[in-house]
Amino acid sequence: MTVPTTTTGRLVEVDHPLVRHKLTLLRKVETDTAQFRSLVEELANLITYEATKDLETEPIEIQTPVETTMGQAVSGKKVAVVPILRAGLGMVDGVLRMVPVAKIGHIGLYRDEETLEPVTYYEKFPDDMAHRDVLLLDPMLATGGSVTVAVDAVKRAGATSIRLLAILAAPEGIARLHADHPDVDIYVAGIDEKLNEKGYIVPGLGDAGDRLFGTQ
Ligand code: PRP
Ligand code: URA
């Protein structure tokens, strides 16, 4: 599903049989930590394919073993990948397989279990964020509080082109991010029904960080 509008960022639910299959495996309660980690990486790789569809290219002349021909090279802005710690770390390798020369920033946030408000504990970004397309990584867009604070931080660091790559989103988080940062496009493998009273995505997949790092 692609919903382009002029007033908010785009919302793209990556629609592909492999994405649907892997997302289903990821949700299952019996999926263990090792499988969960591989699936998050694979899904991040597939989402990146969609999220980088509009990168600019330019023609270049190359020599094949047979003859000289014209090819295409990615041009325009370079990429910065910014995982939101902890769970965003699980997506990094899948994204970097597609854009290996990207620089990497980090933002450390956790959601206070009582208030659900994000608490920032770490920030480190490349110094040329203004000249990069930023791919912000977080598997879960729940209330949207964490991503909103992370977008504030990358904007303070100079970024003007920002896309969120997530695995699951709740309608509440999408609405919050579009309201607070209408310039940020969202690419997601699945959009779920709602949040429960603890702020968990329903049906969801549980706590992404705990399942990735085996800390339940
Ligand atoms: C999870 C998840 C997001 C956040 C989403 O992180 O990885 O960052 O919650 O919730 P929100 O949209 O309501 O802000 P968590 O706070 O559990 O930290 P962790 O990644 O260190 O486990
Ligand atoms: N964070 C998670 O890891 N899972 C949710 O369902 C909501 C927030």
Side-chain angles (χ1 to χ4, degrees):
M1 176 177 62
T2 306
V3 187
T5 74
T6 51
T7 53
T8 67
R10 292 197 317 151
L11 169 64
V12 179
E13 185 177 12
V14 181
D15 185 24
H16 190 285
L18 291 178
V19 170
R20 291 197 293 272
H21 179 81
K22 289 175 193 297
L23 180 56
T24 302
L25 294 176
L26 192 73
R27 289 180 188 278
K28 288 170 77 170
V29 70
E30 60 267 38
T31 295
D32 67 21
T33 301
Q35 291 169 309
F36 193 90
R37 215 175 274 148
S38 309
L39 287 163
V40 167
E41 190 176 319
E42 289 163 21
L43 282 163
N45 187 261
L46 293 167
I47 298 166
T48 306
Y49 181 76
E50 191 67 33
T52 52
K53 233 175 178 172
D54 60 352
L55 289 189
E56 287 170 32
T57 59
E58 63 186 9
I60 55 164
E61 188 177 279
I62 57 161
Q63 179 73 46
T64 79
V66 181
E67 66 169 11
T68 302
T69 186
M70 293 305 290
Q72 294 282 320
V74 172
S75 60
K77 281 187 170 181
K78 294 182 176 141
V79 172
V81 173
V82 179
I84 299 179
L85 311 184
R86 290 179 297 166
L89 285 175
M91 299 174 71
V92 171
D93 287 349
V95 176
L96 288 182
R97 251 188 286 137
M98 288 291 202
V99 278
V101 297
K103 286 196 176 174
I104 306 177
H106 292 89
I107 177 156
L109 293 177
Y110 68 87
R111 206 168 65 143
D112 183 286
E113 285 181 9
E114 299 296 319
T115 64
L116 301 184
E117 288 301 316
V119 180
T120 307
Y121 57 86
Y122 186 74
E123 280 183 28
K124 184 81 177 171
F125 303 118
D127 56 13
D128 56 353
M129 290 287 272
H131 305 293
R132 292 182 178 268
D133 287 320
V134 174
L135 304 181
L136 193 59
L137 312 182
D138 194 329
M140 308 303 275
L141 178 63
T143 64
S146 302
V147 168
T148 295
V149 164
V151 172
D152 288 337
V154 294
K155 283 186 175 175
R156 276 197 305 277
T160 56
S161 164
I162 304 162
R163 294 154 210 220
L164 171 69
L165 278 58
I167 290 180
L168 270 187
E172 294 89 334
I174 294 166
R176 164 92 187 262
L177 186 59
H178 275 167
D180 289 357
H181 293 290
D183 52 327
V184 174
D185 294 337
I186 304 171
Y187 295 86
V188 65
I191 299 171
D192 272 6
E193 200 183 315
K194 59 179 182 185
L195 297 177
N196 68 14
E197 66 289 348
K198 290 185 175 161
Y200 276 83
I201 298 177
V202 178
L205 51 77
D207 188 306
D210 282 345
R211 295 195 68 186
L212 267 169
F213 299 111
T215 48
Q216 288 111 311

